[in-house]
Amino acid sequence: MEPTERRVVVTGPPRRIRRTSGHDRPRTEIDEQTTLGHTYVRSLMRTQLRAALAVFAVLVLLIGPLPLVFAAAPDRRRLEWLVLGFCLYAPLILLARWYVRRAERNERDLVRLVEDR
């Protein structure tokens, strides 16, 4: 009788390197903080900063002249309550809503850019 042959299993590193598909590439670029991923994030940060600066500019133009208006008004108390209590509240709410929608749109655009590639 011949001795039975034994099977020997040799494990080692895989021969093929699994490459990520083109779909996952931009996401891995961002996760691994490569130069391209850094560019994606910097672009998002720049657009978010641009929206924030636009809101700040509107706030400066809206609220900045109020001390001059209050100083020039003869009936200050009534005007202050009217402007601060009623006239300023609605534009601030609308400005905040615009900013949040703009920031979410910027993020959606980045996600769409990353997932479409």
Side-chain angles (χ1 to χ4, degrees):
M1 262 193 179
E2 291 181 24
T4 55
E5 294 181 28
R6 283 206 225 171
R7 289 188 178 190
V8 177
V9 178
V10 178
T11 59
R15 292 182 185 174
R16 292 186 204 172
I17 297 174
R18 184 176 160 209
R19 296 182 184 190
T20 59
S21 66
H23 179 72
D24 292 336
R25 187 160 186 248
R27 185 172 292 159
T28 55
E29 295 284 343
I30 292 171
D31 290 341
E32 293 175 2
Q33 298 178 355
T34 62
T35 305
L36 182 60
H38 182 68
T39 304
Y40 284 138
V41 173
R42 191 174 56 211
S43 172
L44 174 65
M45 297 293 283
R46 197 175 305 135
T47 56
Q48 298 291 47
L49 178 64
R50 207 173 300 132
L53 290 176
V55 168
F56 182 72
V58 171
L59 282 174
V60 165
L61 292 174
L62 189 65
I63 297 174
L66 286 180
L68 296 174
V69 171
F70 293 152
D75 189 13
R76 264 177 75 181
R77 288 187 190 242
R78 178 176 271 175
L79 181 66
E80 287 173 358
W81 278 105
L82 182 69
V83 170
L84 294 176
F86 298 106
C87 298
L88 199 59
Y89 187 73
L92 288 178
I93 295 296
L94 292 174
L95 193 60
R97 284 185 68 192
W98 178 84
Y99 176 73
V100 168
R101 286 183 178 182
R102 184 67 187 184
E104 288 174 350
R105 185 183 315 146
N106 291 339
E107 291 174 3
R108 274 195 313 269
D109 289 346
L110 177 71
V111 168
R112 201 173 302 131
L113 174 74
V114 167
E115 288 180 353
D116 283 348
R117 288 189 110 205

